[in-house]
Amino acid sequence: MRAIVIHAAKDLRVEERPEETPGEGQLRLRLATGGVCGSDLHYYNHGGFGTVRLREPMILGHEVSAYVESVGPGVTGYTEGQLVAVSPSRPCRACKYCLEGLPNQCLNMRFYGSAMPFPHIQGAFREVLVADQFQCVDATGLTPGEAAMAEPLAVTLHATRRAGDMLGKRVLVTGCGPIGILSILAARRSGAQEIVATDLSGFTLALARKVGADRTINMASEPDALAAYNADKGYFDVLYECSGAAPALAGGIAALRPRGIILQLGLGGDMSVPMMAITAKELDLRGSFRFHPEFAVGVSLMQKGLIDVKPLITHTVGLDKAEEAFLLASDRSQAMKAQIAFS
Ligand SMILES: [Zn+2]
Ligand SMILES: [Zn+2]
């Protein structure tokens, strides 16, 4: 089978790899679609992020859907040809955080395509994938592309859960890449009353309006527009910070009203935080990292037509043109989610 392997920054190869056979509780899957994520792009463009560096070749990818080919011993409830969304979240289910109900904080997490541990956790961009039963969520009724959006959607559903009650809230989303756009969808579905989104790209902001943002602000062409919300100690109840950029965080904090909640999703490395404003306005700064149960929730919301991710999928290319998907996904002037069709 072929797999998409990163060797170093800008050194992406489609290579032959041995196929695995499913063991107890596992399924053998034929990959349908894989979405290129920001973390994949970090490996592709920079060979890692923060202190995390590639130290050996690694199969990329963690946003995937697949067709069931066969099942291993003890697996029931799946049929050949069935479309499944495959969760890349593989907690050990035995460490103290797993047992406390915090699987996304698992001490032995084997999240697909991660160079954090060594040996690296190999990813899911491969024609044949053997996965555990608990990872495979029925995606009947969805397109393979939609099913492959379950992972980034789950990231934003987890953040929304971290925010708590969303009904009637005024929401600011800074950064309108896929996570920002999905945050708009998740916040709206959860009852947000007003959603304002910022970015530097007119293309992404047009998409933000299309999926339901009430107002968008282009921080490149209207750098002062957000400051109108700073009066009387701020306006917004919740900030989804999806850019990972310090100026976006600072601008968002200034526009948050007292007791507002900051959801930090953007992974921009360590940034300076306006701590005085957090103290004086009694803001809650809440990190949000990955997800676990929200994956199946997201699939279900898509199946019921309650969240529509289709407008995000701007490009789909074949496996032989995989690198094109990475180049497209890096270009915020024309692409939102670029996906690779494996079959
Ligand atoms: Zn992702
Ligand atoms: Zn664990």
Side-chain angles (χ1 to χ4, degrees):
M1 65 152 178
R2 291 177 296 169
I4 301 174
V5 183
I6 187 81
H7 285 253
K10 304 283 181 188
D11 184 358
L12 187 78
R13 306 179 199 174
V14 177
E15 291 179 345
E16 281 296 320
R17 288 287 162 115
E19 291 178 19
E20 295 163 13
T21 43
E24 180 86 30
Q26 293 186 315
L27 291 86
R28 179 187 154 98
L29 306 168
R30 173 130 327 248
L31 220 70
T33 299
V36 178
C37 179
S39 62
D40 299 315
L41 287 178
H42 275 289
Y43 291 119
Y44 174 70
N45 287 315
H46 313 295
F49 52 88
T51 56
V52 177
R53 293 286 118 195
L54 273 176
R55 288 188 278 160
E56 62 176 345
M58 181 176 79
I59 301 176
L60 285 176
H62 60 266
E63 301 182 1
V64 296
S65 63
Y67 296 107
V68 176
E69 248 187 16
S70 62
V71 301
V75 177
T76 54
Y78 295 89
T79 52
E80 195 189 324
Q82 178 182 357
L83 180 69
V84 291
V86 186
S87 175
S89 174
R90 296 188 294 169
C92 74
R93 302 193 285 178
C95 75
K96 64 174 180 175
Y97 296 117
C98 283
L99 297 177
E100 280 175 23
L102 298 174
N104 65 316
Q105 298 291 347
C106 174
L107 293 170
N108 312 300
M109 174 62 79
R110 294 177 307 127
F111 202 94
Y112 282 140
S114 171
M116 276 186 208
F118 186 86
H120 301 338
I121 310 298
Q122 299 292 317
F125 284 173
R126 50 178 106 190
E127 288 177 296
V128 176
L129 179 68
V130 169
D132 293 330
Q133 179 170 8
F134 75 83
Q135 296 175 253
C136 300
V137 178
D138 173 56
T140 303
L142 300 182
T143 65
E146 287 175 279
M149 292 294 291
E151 194 271 345
L153 175 59
V155 168
T156 63
L157 293 174
H158 180 74
T160 302
R161 174 171 275 164
R162 294 276 294 133
D165 183 19
M166 190 62 68
L167 189 68
K169 295 292 164 67
R170 293 163 170 169
V171 171
L172 176 64
V173 177
T174 51
C176 287
I179 293 297
I181 299 289
L182 291 166
S183 292
I184 294 169
L185 289 166
R188 183 64 89 208
R189 174 49 59 200
S190 306
Q193 179 184 332
E194 181 179 353
I195 302 175
V196 176
T198 68
D199 200 281
L200 301 168
S201 154
F203 172 79
T204 63
L205 289 171
L207 195 53
R209 287 191 296 277
K210 188 173 175 185
V211 304
D214 298 289
R215 182 187 174 189
T216 57
I217 298 173
N218 189 321
M219 298 301 283
S221 58
E222 337 161 56
D224 301 323
L226 189 60
Y229 295 101
N230 298 359
D232 299 336
K233 296 192 180 184
Y235 182 81
F236 297 102
D237 301 293
V238 179
L239 166 64
Y240 287 76
E241 205 302 290
C242 303
S243 73
L249 175 63
I253 284 176
L256 272 181
R257 52 174 289 137
R259 301 270 169 110
I261 296 167
I262 304 151
L263 303 168
Q264 184 62 41
L265 290 102
L267 298 166
D270 291 333
M271 29 178 178
S272 66
V273 178
M275 196 53 75
M276 195 55 220
I278 290 181
T279 304
K281 290 203 284 185
E282 302 183 308
L283 304 178
D284 279 354
L285 175 52
R286 300 184 186 175
S288 186
F289 189 57
R290 295 178 178 163
F291 55 85
H292 191 73
E294 296 87 354
F295 187 90
V297 174
V299 173
S300 170
L301 289 173
M302 289 191 286
Q303 283 173 317
K304 290 177 173 155
L306 297 173
I307 283 189
D308 182 9
V309 299
K310 287 192 291 293
L312 279 83
I313 305 169
T314 52
H315 297 80
T316 306
V317 305
L319 175 55
D320 43 347
K321 295 205 183 100
E323 190 154 13
E324 207 174 286
F326 284 77
L327 293 170
L328 277 167
S330 309
D331 182 358
R332 281 279 164 270
S333 71
Q334 56 159 325
M336 182 53 63
K337 180 60 73 180
Q339 294 185 328
I340 299 161
F342 283 76
S343 54

